[in-house]
Amino acid sequence: MKNIFLLGMPSSGKSTLGKNLAREIGYEFVDMDKRIELREMLTIAEIFSLRGEEYFRKAESEVLQSLPADAGLIVSTGGGVPCFHNNMDAIRERGVSVFLDVPPKMLADRMMHTRKNDRPLFPTDDAATLLEELERKLNVRRAFYEQADVTIEGETDVQTLLEVLRHLSVIA
């Protein structure tokens, strides 16, 4: 059973879709950020604040490397995972990747309407600044995201994701 890695910017739906997809097809759901928080016994924001982004990126890579290939996992990656430490190679070795390509305006709206602000690279106190930062980061990250096996543009749902994965013979 091939692992399925969900890639994309924060608030693109990786965790929500991943949980629902895993439930639908009987795979195990893995949220990389949650694994890092458990391992470090700190929140992502605390890791950034106390240890810095480079430490966090190394922890992401280590968690990714610890995942077995073809183990029936749905993996919600952090937004920056594909962009550091040759992580796209590790993702390719371990399964199939899906880029959830959600427009920055939609991402900003989702982030502004969430109760918690746990994304250290995307402060949500000003909508215009948030949108600018999301656009800037997406422009930098797009080259990595586009290496994914599949790209789904715009808002999507589990049924669409299932159809795409079945069409590609990733799942039965």
Side-chain angles (χ1 to χ4, degrees):
M1 298 186 323
K2 284 190 185 245
N3 295 335
I4 300 166
F5 290 85
L6 301 178
L7 316 178
M9 293 291 288
S11 289
S12 61
K14 300 179 302 284
S15 293
T16 301
L17 283 169
K19 287 176 195 167
N20 292 334
L21 181 63
R23 193 174 311 113
E24 189 79 26
I25 63 176
Y27 278 34
E28 178 186 346
F29 176 71
V30 174
D31 183 315
M32 286 185 61
D33 282 348
K34 297 289 182 235
R35 287 240 172 135
I36 292 166
E37 288 178 338
L38 283 171
R39 182 183 114 155
E40 300 294 323
M41 295 192 297
L42 296 167
T43 67
I44 301 302
E46 290 169 335
I47 295 168
F48 267 78
S49 173
L50 297 171
R51 299 190 178 147
E53 183 176 2
E54 183 52 41
Y55 180 92
F56 175 73
R57 298 302 177 194
K58 188 171 184 304
E60 280 182 324
S61 188
E62 290 168 359
V63 167
L64 177 61
Q65 296 288 339
S66 75
L67 298 175
D70 300 327
L73 305 175
I74 305 290
V75 182
S76 171
T77 65
V81 168
C83 310
F84 297 91
H85 303 288
N86 297 313
N87 286 343
M88 275 308 295
D89 292 339
I91 289 169
R92 268 191 289 281
E93 291 167 5
R94 287 168 174 73
V96 172
S97 54
V98 178
F99 169 32
L100 302 174
D101 189 5
V102 176
K105 176 73 172 105
M106 191 178 294
L107 298 172
D109 289 346
R110 290 176 183 176
M111 289 171 123
M112 291 300 293
H113 293 97
T114 188
R115 280 189 294 272
K116 60 180 183 166
N117 180 10
D118 61 351
R119 294 177 167 90
L121 295 179
F122 301 99
T124 55
D125 49 354
D126 176 63
T129 303
L130 174 62
L131 180 58
E132 284 176 21
E133 187 58 19
L134 284 164
E135 289 170 342
R136 190 184 71 72
K137 279 278 192 225
L138 180 57
N139 286 337
V140 170
R141 293 176 176 182
R142 185 169 290 285
F144 295 96
Y145 292 155
E146 288 180 345
Q147 295 175 40
D149 297 303
V150 181
T151 297
I152 298 177
E153 294 182 2
E155 196 158 6
T156 193
D157 58 25
V158 171
Q159 292 310 313
T160 302
L161 194 48
L162 280 168
E163 288 172 25
V164 168
L165 293 170
R166 284 186 178 122
H167 178 75
L168 296 171
S169 301
V170 174
I171 58 173

